[in-house]
Amino acid sequence: MEAYKIFISYVALLAITSYVVYATDPNQLQDFCVGVNQPLEGLFVNGLFCKDPMRVSPDDFLFRGLNPGDTDNKLGFAATVVQATNLGGLNTLGISLARLDFAPYGLNPPHTHPRATEIFTVLEGTFYVGFVTSNPPQGPNKLFAKLLNKGDVFVFPQGLIHFQFNVGRTPGFGISGLSSQNPGVITIANAVFGSQPPISVDVLAKGFQIEDNLVKYLQAQFGMGSY
């Protein structure tokens, strides 16, 4: 009976471990799989097709131009993303990165990465950053926030709403590493108030406990291509 209990516990642990493993990007089955966009008619895959290894060159693993982005916009923020779609050598390797540039008081607004954890390193500037937990069984969602300076590193767990705000009077920038070749991004305000077709005013007014006119105002702001 004791051996049976141990066996059941082992199976349960194995199942949990397997779920955790397969919840992330799959491990590659070869040295590399340089991604190319050559889909067969009517066929879709969760990733990219592989380039013939005999035709792969060093250029397939090189990205040039991780230069400052244009922060002349309403948020004072720009992201230059390096992922499998513009660096084929990243395909199947489960990582990507982004350069984040901020004007003085620039903001990367509350957003999530549905498929990746993010690790943010400050290279210039002073930033107020944080993430909010998912809904707890009791009490409010908890905010984890810190003030970061040059050389500081902060982690945002996968799928949680987070932000980065340059609180300095000078431009700032940092590098973010992400644990997926295609982390995805959902900018909360854009998704809620800028979706096409728009979400019902009644739904948003009740969901956010605000007046209909304010919902319409916000939809007008985000429905016109705001970042």
Side-chain angles (χ1 to χ4, degrees):
M1 188 65 178
E2 188 65 24
Y4 176 78
K5 291 181 178 179
I6 294 174
F7 174 75
I8 293 299
S9 298
Y10 173 78
V11 171
L13 179 61
L14 183 61
I16 293 171
T17 303
S18 298
Y19 174 80
V20 172
V21 169
Y22 289 108
T24 62
D25 284 7
N27 289 329
Q28 66 272 20
L29 300 177
Q30 54 204 46
D31 288 343
F32 49 77
C33 169
V34 173
V36 292
N37 291 308
Q38 295 178 346
L40 300 176
E41 184 67 28
L43 179 64
F44 296 88
V45 295
N46 187 20
L48 302 171
F49 287 86
C50 296
K51 187 175 183 179
D52 182 346
M54 300 305 296
R55 298 174 55 204
V56 170
S57 73
D59 287 338
D60 290 312
F61 302 93
L62 172 67
F63 177 91
R64 296 188 189 275
L66 196 62
N67 301 317
D70 183 6
T71 59
D72 185 18
N73 53 60
K74 290 182 178 180
L75 294 174
F77 168 73
T80 304
V81 179
V82 182
Q83 55 191 21
T85 52
N86 58 2
L87 178 55
L90 281 176
N91 189 46
T92 76
L93 299 185
I95 59 171
S96 58
L97 65 81
R99 172 177 173 141
L100 307 182
D101 286 283
F102 300 78
Y105 307 112
L107 172 69
N108 186 4
H111 63 281
T112 72
H113 301 294
R115 294 179 291 275
T117 291
E118 176 181 353
I119 183 167
F120 176 63
T121 303
V122 178
L123 298 180
E124 291 292 344
T126 301
F127 290 86
Y128 174 62
V129 307
F131 66 86
V132 180
T133 63
S134 55
N135 296 354
Q138 296 179 341
N141 303 70
K142 185 173 181 179
L143 170 65
F144 290 85
K146 290 291 291 185
L147 194 65
L148 306 183
N149 295 300
K150 183 176 180 178
D152 290 341
V153 178
F154 198 82
V155 173
F156 307 101
Q158 179 173 337
L160 298 186
I161 295 174
H162 60 282
F163 59 87
Q164 295 116 345
F165 180 43
N166 178 15
V167 296
R169 297 182 179 179
T170 58
F173 78 99
I175 298 291
S176 281
L178 299 121
S179 62
S180 171
Q181 71 176 51
N182 182 24
V185 60
I186 303 171
T187 307
I188 307 304
N190 297 55
V192 173
F193 295 104
S195 68
Q196 293 297 326
I199 299 173
S200 164
V201 171
D202 292 337
V203 170
L204 296 180
K206 190 165 187 176
F208 284 88
Q209 297 293 289
I210 57 179
E211 297 295 327
D212 291 2
N213 287 340
L214 181 54
V215 172
K216 294 175 182 177
Y217 170 79
L218 291 171
Q219 287 180 324
Q221 300 304 305
F222 290 96
M224 295 186 295
S226 300
Y227 182 87

